[in-house]
Amino acid sequence: MTEFIISHASVNDSYQQQLHAAWQQFIRGESCDCSFMPPEILASWERSRSSGVDPMGIVSQILSPDTLNLKINNNMKLIEVARPYMERLYSIIRGTDSYTLLSDREGYILDYLGDHKIVASSQAMTHLVPGACRQEAVAGTNAIGTALYLRKPIQICGGEHYCKKHQIYTCSCAPILDRSGNLLGAVNVTVLKEHAHPHTLGMVLSAADSIAKELELTEAMHNIERISAQRNSIIENMPSGLFLLTKTCRVSQVNTHALKMFGLSYEQIIGQNFFDYLNIDGIDGSRANGTQMFEKEQYNEEVSVKLRNSNALPKTFRMSVHFIRDNTGTITETLLRFNKTELIHKLVNNVGGYKARYTFDNIIGNSRPVKDMISACQKAAQRNSNVLILGESGTGKELVAQSIHNAGPSADGPFLAINCASIPNTLVESELFGYEKGAFTGADRNGQPGKFEMADGGTIFLDEIGDMPLNIQAALLRVIQTKEVVRIGGKYPRPVNLRIIAATNQNLLQQIENKTFRSDLYYRLNVFTVNTPALRERGAEEIRLLADHFLETYNRDKFSNIQIAPEVYPVLQTYSWPGNIRQLENVIERAVNLCDEDGQITLKHLPAEILHVSDPTAPSPASQTSAALQPEPLSSTGTLNVKENEKLLIDSTLRATGGNMTKAARALGMNLRTLYRRLDKYELNLSDYRD
């Protein structure tokens, strides 16, 4: 119960006479007996005197019109809520020479309503107008000022007022407090003292409580509306399709993305059973009668969704299920979130680093073959047509592929590189095309997208395409023709929009004759042909340019200042480089690692095979323990042909590594499988190189 202060003797004439006598003595500063007064009144008189209030004067502190207007605007919500309660109070006291007042938390009058006669009298005698200040320090003991000071309802009757001009009135006031006890304002009823009644304060207190509750409710509704508006804005701006389902699976909220994803309208789906319109593969929508449709929460699991009563094929989405629970932990609603698979793939590509790093600016060289290659690549980049890159190993085919991608219309999309020779035949199909959940033993239970799906919206680079198995070639041909991928174990095709760039160091026309490569796939891939020139075709000056470029890169990484001795350049320029740019890069890296930080690369830092070819009379390092290695026969031009040079390079590398195939493959810049094929090709016996 709210504590309030009221003197039940306040309407008694003898009490008023005692008050008047005590008041006269008090304002004169004389000793007086005030024991008959409520202690709160006496304390208020003392505060009024300490504040220098003139008991015989008149309230003169009134806000300027502009300041009052600002205060009214700041308290508009309080005024709007309190006005109906003031009208209700006035309807009870109308015709009794009374009026109601509303003040803010500082005691300034904001609004009033009352009988014309008493209102006019009060305004003339006490300046009781909107903007007038009723604080105790200004107006002395009065119902509004004292109630705000005490934060309690109070009735001030006649002579209990500190100022003489107020003593003809009885005022009943109650402060308006929020739930936390903060002052919001005060509501007051003023009557002539002879009309005073103790019940008036009860009515005022009831009005103040009602105003506080309504303000709280209004603020709560405003907060709910604000939070709802924020939530709706967040929901609408999320890139996912969202459905909020009740316990009976009815749609209580849906965002625009979801409507567009499934071709629905708001009016069509809102309030309806979700499963009457959409069918999720693996979920029995006929059970949607109040039971929990989802056994557990899930995140980005792949599902097929089909519109009911539609002939359209199902669409694949990534679905997340989130439960909304009440304070007891009971599930009250279910949030379904759908993402398009390409969005997830794009995120995965960004995280996984599937991004092309190189552009045409990264291609080093000024020779005519290089300029012709770049010109062809730039033309190919402007189209989304497939590209076939032909060239020997180590000529930078992937660098060219990345440059084409970055110069094309799909530059913002992913770039996935696949080495067709490095994937075991048993895994090629699942790697490229993906698989559905449960497609085979050991498969991921949620299924797995293939590289073609991951590259959707970008480019897939199929390196060493000549090593792709024939059965996979047929599947690849179908992807190119239909722009669709069917996963292993899948029922429905998935559309993909991508560019295919393939590369090989093999003669595909010869492979077509040998029935190891499909001619129809060759012609599908060979829309644009780009030839990467071998290093020996690019000229001696370009070998020097590349050597200096690689050395500069390694110097920068190692914070060193290594130089190439002048006598090294002719040796590098006369070598035929069967491993091309990759081999030259490896030679420079090896030499850098053998040098001191501020040293010089000399002939002794070069591999034996380069020195051996450059000087046929020089003995091989192996001659120290065995017969000298005889130089390979020269071609008609006086240099070793490519086949002979590559065989010699592999032979010397295997001798240097003691037959360690892994180290030899790394040194040669080729994958292990390719090196084994080269052994068969050149009829080299691995056991000859091992102890």
Side-chain angles (χ1 to χ4, degrees):
M1 175 180 288
T2 303
E3 180 184 357
F4 56 90
I5 303 165
I6 183 169
S7 172
H8 294 290
S10 60
V11 294
N12 186 285
D13 287 341
S14 63
Y15 172 71
Q16 289 295 327
Q17 290 172 1
Q18 284 181 287
L19 271 176
H20 183 67
W23 175 77
Q24 286 182 320
Q25 292 174 312
F26 185 85
I27 63 173
R28 288 197 299 265
E30 300 173 0
S31 176
C32 60
D33 180 16
C34 297
S35 60
F36 66 94
M37 295 170 53
E40 291 83 3
I41 300 299
L42 179 58
S44 178
W45 281 8
E46 291 173 345
R47 290 192 299 271
S48 301
R49 183 168 62 185
S50 297
S51 299
V53 177
D54 181 5
M56 307 303 293
I58 188 170
V59 175
S60 59
Q61 184 172 324
I62 300 175
L63 297 175
S64 67
D66 288 343
T67 306
L68 174 60
N69 186 54
L70 180 61
K71 188 169 281 290
I72 288 175
N73 286 336
N74 290 339
N75 290 275
M76 187 57 68
K77 189 178 297 183
L78 172 64
I79 295 170
E80 290 176 348
V81 171
R83 183 70 183 190
Y85 293 95
M86 294 173 63
E87 292 173 350
R88 198 168 304 148
L89 274 175
Y90 180 60
S91 69
I92 298 172
I93 62 177
R94 186 192 301 271
T96 60
D97 288 333
S98 57
Y99 59 88
T100 66
L101 289 170
L102 176 70
S103 82
D104 70 354
R105 63 171 64 90
E106 296 173 337
Y108 288 94
I109 304 301
L110 299 175
D111 196 12
Y112 70 92
L113 187 65
D115 293 340
H116 174 72
K117 182 178 178 181
I118 191 172
V119 168
S121 172
S122 296
Q123 290 178 348
M125 291 179 60
T126 64
H127 291 176
L128 201 61
V129 295
C133 182
R134 305 303 295 168
Q135 296 173 11
E136 275 189 348
V138 174
T141 303
N142 71 94
I144 293 176
T146 305
L148 290 174
Y149 180 86
L150 298 174
R151 305 169 74 90
K152 296 177 182 178
I154 192 169
Q155 189 175 72
I156 306 290
C157 184
E160 292 177 340
H161 288 89
Y162 185 73
C163 293
K164 183 176 178 57
K165 291 184 182 295
H166 299 157
Q167 291 177 357
I168 63 172
Y169 304 111
T170 291
C171 304
S172 303
C173 181
I176 303 170
L177 304 169
D178 65 14
R179 182 185 292 271
S180 301
N182 299 311
L183 273 174
L184 305 176
V187 62
N188 174 84
V189 169
T190 295
V191 299
L192 293 174
K193 67 179 181 181
E194 55 265 27
H195 297 156
H197 195 287
H199 291 168
T200 306
L201 184 58
M203 293 191 302
V204 173
L205 175 58
S206 176
D209 285 345
S210 298
I211 292 170
K213 287 183 172 63
E214 186 166 337
L215 281 170
E216 182 180 351
L217 180 61
T218 302
E219 181 66 20
M221 292 298 295
H222 173 73
N223 288 336
I224 290 172
E225 290 174 358
R226 178 172 54 82
I227 292 170
S228 179
Q230 291 174 343
R231 182 188 64 183
N232 290 339
S233 177
I234 292 170
I235 288 174
E236 280 300 312
N237 285 284
M238 286 187 68
S240 306
L242 301 177
F243 290 93
L244 188 62
L245 308 185
T246 66
K247 289 183 68 175
T248 58
C249 296
R250 295 191 177 275
V251 179
S252 62
Q253 194 160 358
V254 59
N255 69 351
T256 304
H257 286 289
L259 298 174
K260 289 181 179 178
M261 278 182 179
F262 299 104
L264 298 168
S265 67
Y266 183 83
E267 296 76 14
Q268 183 181 12
I269 192 69
I270 197 70
Q272 301 299 313
N273 189 306
F274 176 86
F275 293 98
D276 286 347
Y277 287 85
L278 295 167
N279 177 55
I280 301 175
D281 189 30
I283 298 178
D284 183 7
S286 63
R287 297 191 300 109
N289 56 358
T291 60
Q292 180 59 41
M293 292 299 299
F294 300 93
E295 295 180 359
K296 61 180 180 178
E297 292 188 325
Q298 60 191 53
Y299 178 74
N300 275 336
E301 291 196 12
E302 197 167 88
V303 294
S304 293
V305 184
K306 185 181 185 301
L307 277 173
R308 289 194 181 275
N309 304 319
S310 170
N311 294 324
L313 290 174
K315 293 183 178 180
T316 302
F317 297 93
R318 291 281 181 168
M319 182 181 73
S320 297
V321 178
H322 307 280
F323 295 145
I324 299 174
R325 304 173 188 271
D326 61 17
N327 293 335
T328 65
T330 303
I331 298 173
T332 58
E333 292 177 297
T334 302
L335 179 67
L336 301 184
R337 180 162 58 89
F338 293 92
N339 282 314
K340 292 183 177 179
T341 53
E342 55 264 32
L343 174 63
I344 301 299
H345 294 163
K346 185 175 291 187
L347 292 173
V348 172
N349 290 335
N350 290 337
V351 173
Y354 297 138
K355 196 75 176 174
R357 297 182 292 118
Y358 298 113
T359 66
F360 292 124
D361 293 336
N362 297 113
I363 298 177
I364 307 298
N366 298 311
S367 64
R368 174 51 54 189
V370 171
K371 289 181 178 180
D372 290 345
M373 177 192 70
I374 293 176
S375 177
C377 290
Q378 289 172 335
K379 292 176 182 177
Q382 300 310 309
R383 310 286 191 275
N384 251 336
S385 301
N386 300 329
V387 179
L388 180 61
I389 303 174
L390 302 175
E392 297 177 11
S393 294
T395 52
K397 293 188 285 296
E398 182 168 349
L399 186 152
V400 170
Q402 290 192 22
S403 301
I404 293 173
H405 169 81
N406 279 329
S410 303
D412 292 333
F415 178 92
L416 268 76
I418 307 296
N419 190 314
C420 300
S422 65
I423 305 175
N425 289 353
T426 54
L427 297 179
V428 172
E429 190 172 6
S430 62
E431 281 288 316
L432 293 180
F433 308 119
Y435 55 85
E436 297 289 358
K437 55 186 176 182
F440 51 83
T441 303
D444 190 300
R445 68 181 186 86
N446 295 320
Q448 185 71 39
K451 294 300 188 290
F452 279 96
E453 286 184 66
M454 302 292 286
D456 191 20
T459 300
I460 189 166
F461 174 54
L462 302 176
D463 197 10
E464 299 199 46
I465 188 72
D467 293 302
M468 180 176 282
L470 277 171
N471 63 315
I472 307 302
Q473 292 180 31
L476 174 59
L477 181 64
R478 187 182 182 282
V479 173
I480 297 174
Q481 291 173 333
T482 64
K483 299 291 184 182
E484 293 176 338
V485 171
V486 179
R487 292 183 182 180
I488 298 174
K491 301 177 184 177
Y492 306 105
R494 301 164 185 265
V496 289
N497 178 25
L498 48 77
R499 178 212 289 267
I500 297 175
I501 299 180
T504 184
N505 59 2
Q506 301 186 32
N507 187 332
L508 293 184
L509 293 177
Q510 184 62 50
Q511 286 190 280
I512 291 172
E513 288 186 16
N514 297 338
K515 307 298 183 183
T516 58
F517 199 84
R518 296 179 62 106
S519 60
D520 45 6
L521 176 59
Y522 172 78
Y523 294 116
R524 282 285 184 178
L525 293 173
N526 194 24
V527 178
F528 275 99
T529 303
V530 173
N531 289 285
T532 55
L535 184 54
R536 63 184 174 278
E537 298 170 357
R538 295 170 61 165
E541 190 56 39
E542 208 137 289
I543 293 175
R544 179 173 186 141
L545 182 67
L546 286 165
D548 289 342
H549 168 74
F550 294 136
L551 179 62
E552 180 184 349
T553 301
Y554 290 124
N555 274 334
R556 185 169 58 249
D557 292 343
K558 292 172 65 69
F559 301 100
S560 57
N561 187 30
I562 298 172
Q563 304 293 322
I564 297 178
E567 66 271 16
V568 171
Y569 286 111
V571 175
L572 298 179
Q573 290 169 325
T574 56
Y575 185 60
S576 60
W577 299 105
N580 291 291
I581 301 171
R582 187 186 296 122
Q583 184 188 3
L584 174 60
E585 182 178 10
N586 291 341
V587 166
I588 298 300
E589 181 181 10
R590 174 183 183 274
V592 167
N593 288 324
L594 292 174
C595 276
D596 297 330
E597 288 187 0
D598 296 317
Q600 223 181 27
I601 296 175
T602 63
L603 293 177
K604 69 179 181 180
H605 298 126
L606 298 182
E609 66 269 14
I610 295 179
L611 296 174
H612 179 72
V613 172
S614 301
D615 182 8
T617 63
S620 166
S623 64
Q624 298 173 6
T625 57
S626 62
L629 180 67
Q630 296 299 316
E632 294 287 334
L634 300 179
S635 66
S636 59
T637 60
T639 61
L640 289 170
N641 60 42
V642 176
K643 180 177 179 180
E644 294 163 342
N645 222 335
E646 185 173 52
K647 180 179 180 180
L648 176 63
L649 177 61
I650 293 172
D651 176 80
S652 61
T653 303
L654 287 172
R655 291 184 185 280
T657 61
N660 187 313
M661 290 290 286
T662 302
K663 291 183 179 179
R666 188 182 301 117
L668 292 166
M670 63 177 66
N671 65 61
L672 194 58
R673 199 170 162 199
T674 301
L675 180 56
Y676 274 109
R677 287 202 306 271
R678 295 293 191 274
L679 291 183
D680 293 338
K681 178 179 179 180
Y682 298 130
E683 298 179 347
L684 297 173
N685 190 345
L686 186 58
S687 62
D688 294 341
Y689 302 94
R690 294 177 174 172
D691 294 336

